[in-house]
Amino acid sequence: MAGLQLMTPASSPMGPFFGLPWQQEAIHDNIYTPRKYQVELLEAALDHNTIVCLNTGSGKTFIAVLLTKELAHQIRGDLNPHAKRTVFLVNSANQVAQQVSAVRTHSDLKVGEYSDLEVNASWTKERWSQEFTKHQVLIMTCYVALTVLKNGYLSLSDINLLVFDECHLAILDHPYREIMKLCESCPSCPRILGLTASILNGKCDPEELEEKIQKLERILRSDAETATDLVVLDRYTSQPCEIVVDCGPFTDRSGLYERLLMELEAALDFINDCNVAVHSKERDSTLISKQILSDCRAVLVVLGPWCADKVAGMMVRELQKYIKHEQEELHRKFLLFTDTLLRKIHALCEEYFSPASLDLKYVTPKVMKLLEILRKYKPYERQQFESVEWYNNRNQDNYVSWSDSEDDDDDQKKKKKEKKK
């Protein structure tokens, strides 16, 4: 009766009427009633390999535990030939404890946890056999699991359910993908359950969405599923509190803002006016230049001249890579034009402030408001935010180099090392 608590009329703080039959039921602290969408996805996972796509905090792990319990008759008893094992895979060691807690809370199954690759890799086959005999559910990092499977300590045919947490990682060069490749040569592949809050690993264009989802489905040999009633789902997921903050307009009395904006807009107008014929199979010579100058202009308008100077420095470094490897002469000319303009932006900024130090006169009220909000989360560093010394005294290696090539930067680093020696 551990975990159960009974109330009697005599002991109840609610008085003698608390002892009515329907109020006297003993309710376990850890009993959860599955929500409608969780039952719906559980039924899908029982029928076929499934990728569960739900928001963070919507109970994806609980669905995995429910599926484990539904298939628990396959894992009770000694390993092979009588029973199999369920394996939960996570991406990092700190996630193992979370999954272990969930399975132990909602089931009576014996759970083993394996998160240290160095320790687990040194185990012998006999040691692993003991672990598989003692535990019915094995929760391990993907790196440990890959080592176990490749060394033959556990066969895929001995697994009844394979759960992939953050399964969208399988679309990359990841241990998840290598584990699924092992399934291709296995005659009796286990049931697959993928859990993800972000089925796309990174950004993608809308026209590529279907193709990316289908690719993940092919890799995991599963069908992507989500709740049919998204309105109900929204009731249970975490809802952020959105607040609109009025930051006010940016006023620059020095005239630097107007000068930089005029330079960038003039350069964009020049590129747009260039009559460059682009065939369907050829690259647009002006595309990279337009993107860089448009982004720099957007940073200037939203964040101010100081931030625009920083972004210009980063873009110059990226441009150097493009220029170095560009073979087409016309493409190269546009890149050099953009590089020259960004250096001009930097030179104009140097007339008003030192790029190596933070001058709050040249950032917009939006940046100032952001610093105030961040200050609430680090109150002990308040004095740092109220002074620019915290920025001016930071590591010199973080500065943006305005050298003409990466080779020059490497030479400078070598000279610094020689001086230190």
Side-chain angles (χ1 to χ4, degrees):
M1 295 293 288
L4 298 180
Q5 185 177 6
L6 285 171
M7 280 289 187
T8 64
S11 63
S12 171
M14 304 296 290
F17 296 104
F18 188 78
L20 297 175
W22 61 84
Q23 293 172 319
Q24 207 175 23
E25 295 177 2
I27 300 176
H28 199 289
D29 294 338
N30 297 326
I31 289 178
Y32 287 77
T33 303
R35 298 161 187 160
K36 184 179 177 181
Y37 65 86
Q38 290 175 324
V39 174
E40 175 190 357
L41 292 170
L42 171 62
E43 291 174 353
L46 283 167
D47 183 63
H48 55 265
N49 292 349
T50 304
I51 300 171
V52 173
C53 312
L54 290 175
N55 297 342
T56 302
S58 56
K60 296 184 293 294
T61 303
F62 188 48
I63 296 173
V65 176
L66 291 174
L67 180 60
T68 302
K69 292 171 69 176
E70 288 289 332
L71 304 176
H73 63 281
Q74 300 174 358
I75 60 176
R76 295 189 188 275
D78 295 333
L79 180 64
N80 216 0
H82 306 292
K84 297 188 176 186
R85 292 293 176 258
T86 293
V87 178
F88 276 65
L89 302 179
V90 296
N91 184 47
S92 59
N94 59 349
Q95 295 172 311
V96 171
Q98 298 173 5
Q99 302 290 339
V100 169
S101 176
V103 178
R104 285 178 178 165
T105 298
H106 301 295
S107 76
D108 62 343
L109 298 168
K110 296 174 182 176
V111 185
E113 51 184 304
Y114 315 94
S115 57
D116 193 328
L117 180 59
E118 292 184 8
V119 173
N120 299 140
S122 63
W123 288 2
T124 61
K125 188 171 184 178
E126 289 73 21
R127 173 63 189 275
W128 279 112
S129 296
Q130 292 174 8
E131 294 293 321
F132 301 149
T133 302
K134 283 193 300 183
H135 303 116
Q136 298 154 337
V137 179
L138 313 170
I139 300 177
M140 54 183 69
T141 64
C142 51
Y143 304 98
V144 173
L146 187 60
T147 303
V148 168
L149 292 171
K150 281 189 172 180
N151 290 335
Y153 300 145
L154 183 68
S155 171
L156 284 168
S157 58
D158 295 330
I159 301 173
N160 76 320
L161 172 63
L162 200 53
V163 180
F164 292 85
D165 190 34
E166 296 182 289
C167 66
H168 55 271
L169 297 171
I171 210 163
L172 304 172
D173 184 15
H174 191 270
Y176 282 173
R177 195 163 189 170
E178 293 187 52
I179 290 170
M180 286 308 302
K181 286 180 181 178
L182 296 175
C183 289
E184 295 174 4
S185 57
C186 179
S188 56
C189 188
R191 175 58 51 88
I192 304 294
L193 178 66
L195 309 176
T196 180
S198 174
I199 196 166
L200 297 176
N201 191 25
K203 299 179 181 178
C204 94
D205 295 328
E207 58 270 15
E208 298 175 356
L209 178 61
E210 185 177 0
E211 181 185 347
K212 292 264 180 117
I213 294 174
Q214 289 175 351
K215 183 179 179 182
L216 183 61
E217 288 179 326
R218 285 195 302 271
I219 292 170
L220 292 175
R221 303 168 73 175
S222 307
D223 295 331
E225 305 271 358
T226 190
T228 53
D229 193 344
L230 298 179
V231 176
V232 174
L233 179 62
D234 284 340
R235 295 177 190 169
Y236 297 103
T237 54
S238 55
Q239 299 294 332
C241 179
E242 297 182 5
I243 301 173
V244 178
V245 179
D246 184 10
C247 301
F250 173 58
T251 54
D252 178 22
R253 297 177 182 177
S254 66
L256 175 61
Y257 174 84
E258 285 75 14
R259 289 183 67 183
L260 298 179
L261 187 63
M262 184 179 67
E263 291 288 344
L264 289 166
E265 289 183 341
L268 281 167
D269 291 339
F270 169 76
I271 293 175
N272 289 325
D273 289 341
C274 290
N275 189 13
V276 181
V278 180
H279 299 289
S280 57
K281 295 183 179 179
E282 294 181 357
R283 291 179 296 147
D284 184 356
S285 304
T286 64
L287 180 62
I288 295 176
S289 297
K290 286 178 182 176
Q291 287 177 341
I292 288 177
L293 294 177
S294 297
D295 289 346
C296 193
R297 183 189 180 280
V299 171
L300 173 65
V301 172
V302 177
L303 304 178
W306 188 87
C307 295
D309 177 60
K310 292 296 163 192
V311 169
M314 298 174 192
M315 290 176 173
V316 163
R317 293 296 299 268
E318 290 299 314
L319 270 173
Q320 289 301 317
K321 299 174 185 176
Y322 282 105
I323 294 169
K324 188 176 181 180
H325 298 98
E326 185 55 64
Q327 302 296 324
E328 294 289 335
E329 185 62 26
L330 185 59
H331 290 65
R332 187 179 175 83
K333 285 182 178 179
F334 277 107
L335 294 176
L336 288 169
F337 167 77
T338 308
D339 179 80
T340 302
L341 185 83
L342 293 176
R343 291 175 185 276
K344 185 176 182 181
I345 295 294
H346 175 65
L348 289 172
C349 290
E350 281 189 316
E351 295 178 10
Y352 292 83
F353 58 82
S354 171
S357 61
L358 174 60
D359 194 332
L360 298 180
K361 291 187 296 184
Y362 297 100
V363 297
T364 60
K366 181 174 284 190
V367 177
M368 299 294 292
K369 198 71 179 179
L370 175 62
L371 291 175
E372 289 178 17
I373 294 170
L374 294 176
R375 184 184 300 160
K376 296 177 183 178
Y377 296 93
K378 284 210 173 180
Y380 298 108
E381 297 184 13
R382 181 164 186 160
Q383 292 180 350
Q384 289 183 336
F385 279 113
E386 291 176 349
S387 171
V388 296
E389 291 180 5
W390 67 273
Y391 182 85
N392 298 343
N393 295 332
R394 75 198 193 288
N395 191 344
Q396 297 291 324
D397 294 337
N398 292 334
Y399 291 162
V400 175
S401 172
W402 288 88
S403 58
D404 291 333
S405 69
E406 296 178 25
D407 297 334
D408 294 343
D409 294 343
D410 294 337
D411 293 339
Q412 289 176 6
K413 289 177 182 177
K414 288 178 183 176
K415 288 178 182 178
K416 285 181 181 179
K417 287 181 180 179
E418 289 173 0
K419 286 181 181 178
K420 288 179 182 178
K421 290 178 183 178

